[in-house]
Amino acid sequence: YAVYHGPEGLRRIARRLKALTGLLADGLRAAGAKVNAEPVFDTLTVGNVAAGVTSMTIGSLEAGGTIPKGLGWKIMFLVGAIPASELAPNLPPKRVVGHAITVRNVERRDQIFRAAKEGNNKMGETEAYNLAEKGDVVVIQGLTGCSNMGGQSATIAHRQGCAGAVIDGSYRDPDASRDIKFPIWSRGATQITGKWRLETVEVNGIVHICGVQVHPGDLVCADEAGVCFVPYAEAAAVLEAGRKIDAADTRRKQDIDRGVAVSELVQRKY
């Protein structure tokens, strides 16, 4: 794990975990729970008079877990949002919503020169396109600096009905995907092929995209602001919560347009 992510990757994951733990602690306090002392990395301790004390970690909640029922209430805690500052879109106006079909790439151990000389290409993302249903989104856990998807690969994905691709890594031939209006969210383009530098080790298995765990079939939502993954089992609940938030947001926008005073806007509960 450490070798794959490298020192900077581990630091980025650690900072994210620490920040999420702090966010959870703030949310629990706002909901009326007692948070005992400050969070320690990915762990915090909460309790109340009726339920006593319990502890939890971000890892136990990251896949959509809930606060223990003994606390008398629960919150949904999903970690699935990745900003465009991490995975930038090649076609900013485009939006996609679809189910994830996943690919996991790793760095090859054999020598690049030898692999190229032998013509030994171990990229296998096209198998995902073969399995994909119309509207699926290709989600690739890959490498940065070399291509996890080239122009011809993107063209095949588009022809097979894929709605777009999310790549934790780089892709090649950016003009090819732009020309066919195939949206890709990635860490950036590269001119370096991945044929001799990476290998596909799994299709339609669990992948990790910028630290977020993604299962095949999970919901992928992406636009110019970034990418969000929603576990399949939580999709209905997230949709319901989202509609409530959107309705409240609409009411607040209407109040702003009507000229409601700032002091009153701040006080109102939406």
Side-chain angles (χ1 to χ4, degrees):
Y1 190 80
V3 170
Y4 175 78
H5 288 283
E8 181 54 38
L10 290 177
R11 280 192 289 269
R12 184 173 64 250
I13 293 170
R15 287 193 296 267
R16 180 180 175 85
L17 281 173
K18 185 177 180 181
L20 288 171
T21 306
L23 182 64
L24 176 59
D26 291 342
L28 290 170
R29 291 190 185 100
K34 178 183 178 182
V35 178
N36 301 320
E38 288 301 310
V40 179
F41 187 49
D42 69 342
T43 304
L44 54 86
T45 304
V46 297
N48 62 19
V49 176
V53 177
T54 187
S55 65
M56 63 195 72
T57 67
I58 289 295
S60 69
L61 297 170
E62 195 166 18
T66 60
I67 305 301
K69 292 182 179 179
L71 291 175
W73 42 262
K74 68 177 183 177
I75 62 172
M76 180 181 295
F77 190 82
L78 301 174
V79 180
I82 302 169
S85 57
E86 289 194 50
L87 296 181
N90 67 332
L91 299 170
K94 293 279 282 187
R95 295 182 176 184
V96 299
V97 177
H99 293 288
I101 183 161
T102 63
V103 177
R104 183 161 65 92
N105 293 334
V106 299
E107 186 175 0
R108 289 176 63 157
R109 294 185 178 183
D110 46 346
Q111 191 181 59
I112 295 173
F113 175 76
R114 178 176 295 177
K117 185 177 180 180
E118 295 174 353
N120 187 11
N121 178 6
K122 294 186 177 181
M123 294 181 70
E125 78 282 2
T126 51
E127 178 58 21
Y129 314 152
N130 189 44
L131 297 172
E133 297 183 2
K134 186 175 181 180
D136 283 350
V137 179
V138 184
V139 179
I140 302 177
Q141 177 183 337
L143 277 64
T144 300
C146 67
S147 175
N148 298 266
M149 177 183 285
Q152 292 184 14
S153 180
T155 301
I156 296 172
H158 181 259
R159 189 195 71 182
Q160 294 299 105
C162 295
V166 176
I167 306 173
D168 190 353
S170 305
Y171 74 103
R172 200 158 65 100
D173 307 320
D175 56 332
S177 55
R178 280 199 307 267
D179 288 347
I180 60 174
K181 294 181 173 54
F182 184 73
I184 298 174
W185 285 259
S186 75
R187 292 192 181 274
T190 179
Q191 77 277 48
I192 301 172
T193 182
K195 290 179 181 178
W196 329 123
R197 296 171 172 83
L198 61 79
E199 63 178 308
T200 299
V201 295
E202 189 174 21
V203 173
N204 249 10
I206 298 172
V207 296
H208 291 82
I209 306 297
C210 299
V212 176
Q213 188 178 89
V214 182
H215 292 247
D218 282 354
L219 197 63
V220 186
C221 307
D223 61 15
E224 61 183 329
V227 180
C228 188
F229 297 105
V230 179
Y232 180 79
E234 302 292 343
V238 170
L239 178 60
E240 182 182 356
R243 284 172 171 165
K244 290 179 180 178
I245 293 170
D246 182 64
D249 192 52
T250 298
R251 291 195 299 272
R252 194 168 196 263
K253 288 178 181 177
Q254 290 171 346
D255 284 350
I256 293 171
D257 291 340
R258 284 200 297 266
V260 173
V262 174
S263 58
E264 192 172 343
L265 287 171
V266 173
Q267 294 297 322
R268 286 186 181 182
K269 299 294 184 182
Y270 295 92

